[in-house]
Amino acid sequence: MLTDTSARTVGARICPLCEATCGLLFELDGRTVTSVRPNPDDVFTAGHSCAKGLGLGQLENDPDVLRTPLIRDGDDFREATWDEAFAEIGRRLPPIIAADPDSCAVYSGNPAAHHLDPSFYTLPLISAIGTRNVYSPASIDTLPKNYANALLYGTGLGMAVPDIDRTSYLLILGSNPLVSNGSTVTAPGIGKRLEALRERGGTLVVVDPARTRTAEVADLHLAIRPGTDAFLLLALVSVIATERLTAPGRLTEYVDGLDEVLRLTEQFTPDAVAPICGIDADVIRRVAREFAASDAAVAHSRMGSCTQEFGSVANWMVEVLNIVTGNLDRPGGAMFPVPPAGGPTTWPANPKAPLVFDRWRSRVRNMPEAMGELPAVCFAEEVLTPGPGQVRALVTISGNLARSFPNSHAVEAALADLEFMVCIDGYLNETTRYADVVLPPPPLTTRGHHDLALTHFQVRNVARYTAPLLEPGSGEMPEWQILLRLTGIVRGEPERPITELDDEVATTAIRRAAKIAGCEVDDVVRATEGRTGPQRLLDLRLRSGPYGDRFGAVPGGLTLELLERTPDGIDYGPLQPRVPEVLRTPNGRINLLPDALAADLPRLRDALAQPVPELVLVNRRQRRGMNSWLHNALPQPDAGQCALYMNPFDAAERNLVDGDTVRIASKTGAVVAELHITDAMRQGVVSLPHGWGHHGPGLRTGRSAAAPGANVNALVDDTVVEPLTGAPIFNGFPVDVTRVESPRS
């Protein structure tokens, strides 16, 4: 930690904004970040960073960031002390919870998933509340992938990732990593990695309805009709089955249902799916043959494949394609990383553990739980529908659900209807403007960083940690302490010392670490003595993890102290085969034909005969954006970034010209945007970026409100979902586009 704040100092940081986890160097003048640059010595990212990471200084120094707790005062807020803010929460929240714990919902947003404090201390808060009304972005953008992986491999988090540095044939669906930096794959500097693929004679195939930046560098771009990835993948497997190109190799020993899956896919021939996919049948056959013939091929699907009508089947078929060609668990294929702090794929298997799906249901629509939370589409109705169990209070942790959830008009109506709302957030945005108490988290410079979740997706096994650069300043409270204060309040112990609450959390973690490491609890306590907060909990995870020192039993093993001494990280080498050790299914095998997924195939067969909508909308990623919360600190370079993209043919049919103001309408709502005509869009498809719509009263985000953009989620129907998981359909839903006529002068 940097302690000299009187002069310019430089310290290493890991970017917490996206899945690339780039290594950075922060330069500070006192407590002010004066510059951010890539860290050339980082063992994983080697001097790479994107615009978001390099803009962290602007985020840290954003004058609109909240520094002091706020309490609602009529239609506005007043600044308050921490004691006043917690007293207000203690007065109003516990009575609601006491009447019915499920009446208090919790939403943990995207930023929270990448920080140690909420990663460790949100669950104790949820447990103290006792609620089942828990929500996060997972049910918006990854759930079908989690679900398919859990059914096949036994855990929704332990996914196989593309071994991109050794593959010869990379098939990407629903992802634009040159803009987003990838997702459910942690591959910093992915542009250079794709260049290296091409330089060694490899092939990149990108499936996307738009000619994205990633599609532009591909050897083959398949401009698929949105929402039909599952049909394309079924056809690829069908070709491999009928032409007897299957070669599962050593996986045969661990796979059940392979022959049955191949028989089910045979009916989805390239000729049968070509009309709905919009991809020539011969091209589908070519890709299937090339994939099967490659010495190392891998298919990888991401958000675009999850946010569509057949998302679970699409992600299932990605795994089937990799398995039947022998490309799962081999170098250059899809491989399972080893998270240094441990996780479901490294902890001891429990054959009796239930699948973490559908253990309970939502009150209003009877939607299934997944991995401890309910689908996001349930939130508004759970607030707005009277009756026993109605949600009356909400705690949010770093999330803007008013711009993240579908049918945002209903979401905002629900937020306005709540009796009490407390938000841990640094901005007064479209969500927190409805809060009763806002608690600001401290600057990034005061936090240590190790991304517990994203190490499950690393394309190379590395361990990294960057320590806090500064102590919290006057008036700042560490986020883990905020969460523990809230935990004490809802438990009826508002005056309980933070140290005691923290020791309670640590006691449970110590027992678990001792069990995993195979040592005595006293040994664990002695080894971690002197640490508190998230650093203690991280040390427990690292030392009991796959590279850990087992609390002294393995000299030279991984500890937090070792990572503190090596801020550029430790490289444990390329990914290695892990099947069957990695499997967490009840029988320790891969079930390639889960009943729930097979039962969804008739729905796909029926869809083959359905008419194709005239015009559908898809989402769009942006280099300087991260959902909604960077738009104020990192404004887009021009207003056209928020435009509706449309193919020239579609524009001509509607007598539209570039620069028109157009109205985009769906079943759920309508928004207005500038039109940008481009042949990068497939005919019949239009595109808007997500996370915009920064308008309305009560915002304190001056730069984003000055260029609010169109709120695409106002168009997304929260009643039309992927039936297996309840995931909303963000991509491929029908819209109408018309010119907004200028008023007569």
Side-chain angles (χ1 to χ4, degrees):
M1 182 181 296
L2 303 178
T3 55
D4 180 7
T5 60
S6 62
R8 293 185 180 273
T9 50
V10 176
R13 300 294 299 154
I14 298 172
C15 179
L17 296 182
C18 78
E19 305 204 24
T21 66
C22 295
L24 304 170
L25 294 174
F26 273 36
E27 182 175 327
L28 292 91
D29 185 358
R31 301 189 66 85
T32 302
V33 178
T34 56
S35 74
V36 178
R37 60 183 186 271
N39 181 359
D41 298 320
D42 187 285
V43 298
F44 191 31
T45 64
H48 170 79
S49 179
C50 76
K52 294 190 288 290
L54 297 179
L56 275 174
Q58 294 169 252
L59 178 63
E60 289 285 271
N61 300 328
D62 188 348
D64 287 334
V65 168
L66 302 177
R67 314 291 179 182
T68 304
L70 300 178
I71 295 177
R72 178 163 296 282
D73 186 4
D75 292 332
D76 205 347
F77 291 90
R78 64 175 177 85
E79 292 188 351
T81 66
W82 286 99
D83 286 343
E84 288 174 326
F86 287 123
E88 179 70 0
I89 296 167
R91 182 176 69 86
R92 299 182 60 184
L93 185 58
I96 296 174
I97 295 172
D100 182 354
D102 285 332
S103 67
C104 179
V106 177
Y107 175 69
S108 181
N110 184 281
H114 302 311
H115 288 291
L116 284 174
D117 294 30
S119 294
F120 283 130
Y121 292 93
T122 297
L123 188 56
L125 173 60
I126 293 171
S127 298
I129 295 171
T131 182
R132 287 182 169 182
N133 271 299
V134 179
Y135 304 88
S136 88
S139 67
I140 299 172
D141 60 12
T142 67
L143 196 49
K145 191 175 183 73
N146 299 131
Y147 184 58
N149 275 262
L151 291 175
L152 267 66
Y153 309 126
T155 169
L157 185 59
M159 303 176 188
V161 303
D163 187 14
I164 189 171
D165 294 333
R166 293 183 288 184
T167 194
S168 300
Y169 197 99
L170 177 59
L171 173 64
I172 297 178
L173 305 97
S175 181
N176 182 15
L178 288 185
V179 170
S180 68
N181 294 309
S183 194
T184 60
V185 57
T186 298
I190 199 165
K192 292 182 179 179
R193 297 176 192 272
L194 294 179
E195 288 177 11
L197 167 67
R198 301 284 299 280
E199 288 172 358
R200 61 178 180 265
T203 300
L204 172 64
V205 179
V206 173
V207 180
D208 199 296
R211 192 173 69 250
T212 62
R213 286 187 65 208
T214 308
E216 287 176 349
V217 305
D219 297 278
L220 179 63
H221 171 214
L222 304 183
I224 195 169
R225 182 171 285 116
T228 64
D229 296 48
F231 296 96
L232 170 63
L233 288 157
L234 282 160
L236 293 174
V237 178
S238 173
V239 172
I240 289 169
T242 57
E243 298 188 6
R244 300 185 178 181
L245 302 176
T246 56
R250 60 178 285 269
L251 295 172
T252 305
E253 182 181 350
Y254 309 109
V255 173
D256 296 324
L258 190 148
D259 291 338
E260 292 85 348
V261 164
L262 295 177
R263 281 196 294 272
L264 284 175
T265 64
E266 287 180 357
Q267 62 191 299
F268 294 93
T269 66
D271 293 307
V273 307
I276 193 169
C277 289
I279 299 174
D280 185 81
D282 287 339
V283 174
I284 297 174
R285 292 187 184 93
R286 169 193 161 189
V287 172
R289 292 164 183 161
E290 290 177 350
F291 193 95
S294 175
D295 62 339
V298 61
H300 174 66
S301 59
R302 194 38 204 113
M303 196 178 84
S305 71
C306 294
T307 56
Q308 56 180 269
E309 187 178 0
F310 306 105
S312 294
V313 171
N315 283 278
W316 171 35
M317 282 297 118
V318 166
E319 304 305 316
V320 171
L321 179 60
N322 287 330
I323 289 170
V324 301
T325 55
N327 284 298
L328 178 73
D329 203 44
R330 80 171 183 187
M335 305 192 76
F336 295 94
V338 179
T345 66
T346 68
W347 294 329
N350 180 5
K352 296 182 180 180
L355 188 69
V356 289
F357 286 87
D358 203 7
R359 292 171 295 177
W360 60 84
R361 294 267 173 151
S362 68
R363 174 181 66 104
V364 177
R365 214 187 314 179
N366 199 37
M367 297 288 284
E369 162 269 348
M371 299 191 298
E373 62 184 66
L374 292 174
V377 295
C378 298
F379 171 75
E381 65 194 20
E382 292 294 326
V383 176
L384 297 172
T385 305
Q390 179 182 8
V391 170
R392 300 163 52 204
L394 174 66
V395 177
T396 74
I397 305 165
S398 303
N400 188 3
L401 64 166
R403 290 300 173 266
S404 300
F405 282 10
N407 192 1
S408 49
H409 294 308
V411 172
E412 291 204 53
L415 294 175
D417 197 59
L418 289 166
E419 293 181 30
F420 187 69
M421 179 177 172
V422 55
C423 298
I424 302 175
D425 206 294
Y427 282 109
L428 266 185
N429 57 29
E430 295 77 32
T431 295
T432 57
R433 63 183 170 187
Y434 294 99
D436 294 281
V437 178
V438 183
L439 307 172
L444 294 176
T445 48
T446 66
R447 301 167 178 254
H449 190 77
H450 172 91
D451 205 309
L452 288 169
L454 297 187
T455 54
H456 288 77
F457 311 135
Q458 294 179 143
V459 296
R460 190 173 179 89
N461 289 319
V462 299
R464 299 183 299 155
Y465 171 78
T466 46
L469 300 179
L470 299 170
E471 294 282 359
S474 175
E476 295 173 351
M477 180 176 287
E479 192 167 7
W480 65 275
Q481 295 185 15
I482 296 173
L483 289 163
L484 284 178
R485 285 291 302 269
L486 292 177
T487 300
I489 288 171
V490 300
R491 284 173 47 176
E493 303 174 313
E495 304 303 324
R496 185 87 179 273
I498 291 291
T499 53
E500 291 185 10
L501 293 168
D502 185 36
D503 286 342
E504 279 192 14
V505 175
T507 296
T508 301
I510 286 168
R511 290 174 182 154
R512 179 174 177 81
K515 183 177 180 180
I516 293 172
C519 61
E520 298 297 323
V521 167
D522 289 345
D523 296 332
V524 177
V525 172
R526 282 193 296 270
T528 56
E529 190 175 7
R531 290 194 183 273
T532 60
Q535 280 73 27
R536 171 166 51 176
L537 300 180
L538 177 59
D539 199 25
L540 291 168
R541 290 279 297 268
L542 292 170
R543 300 179 83 154
S544 63
Y547 309 116
D549 79 334
R550 295 296 194 267
F551 304 98
V554 180
L558 186 61
T559 66
L560 181 56
E561 182 185 8
L562 178 58
L563 288 183
E564 288 170 332
R565 297 199 310 266
T566 52
D568 297 324
I570 300 172
D571 185 359
Y572 288 101
L575 306 183
Q576 300 294 327
R578 297 189 63 202
V579 171
E581 169 265 326
V582 74
L583 301 177
R584 293 297 182 268
T585 50
N587 63 357
R589 298 175 60 78
I590 299 171
N591 178 15
L592 207 56
L593 189 63
D595 292 341
L597 296 173
D600 203 32
L601 289 179
R603 192 167 63 94
L604 277 82
R605 286 196 294 269
D606 293 343
L608 287 171
Q610 297 299 315
V612 174
E614 183 179 347
L615 197 65
V616 298
L617 186 141
V618 297
N619 210 328
R620 188 165 79 243
R621 285 282 186 178
Q622 295 180 306
R623 292 179 64 247
R624 293 168 64 86
M626 188 65 188
N627 302 325
S628 68
W629 72 286
L630 291 184
H631 291 160
N632 198 70
L634 301 178
Q636 297 295 319
D638 62 81
Q641 294 289 316
C642 300
L644 179 79
Y645 285 9
M646 177 181 278
N647 179 275
F649 180 87
D650 295 320
E653 270 203 333
R654 293 161 177 78
N655 296 316
L656 300 173
V657 299
D658 199 73
D660 273 347
T661 300
V662 293
R663 180 178 184 269
I664 308 105
S666 72
K667 172 187 172 183
T668 304
V671 298
V672 173
E674 179 185 329
L675 178 67
H676 179 58
I677 299 173
T678 171
D679 61 6
M681 295 304 305
R682 177 197 165 89
Q683 185 178 329
V685 183
V686 294
S687 173
L688 272 176
H690 69 287
W692 294 90
H694 305 301
H695 51 72
L699 301 179
R700 296 188 191 176
T701 50
R703 280 184 287 186
S704 62
N711 175 18
V712 68
N713 282 8
L715 305 175
V716 181
D717 191 345
D718 58 355
T719 66
V720 179
V721 299
E722 200 258 6
L724 298 183
T725 61
I729 313 302
F730 285 101
N731 284 313
F733 61 89
V735 293
D736 293 319
V737 177
T738 55
R739 179 186 292 109
V740 175
E741 301 293 344
S742 300
R744 293 181 179 180
S745 57

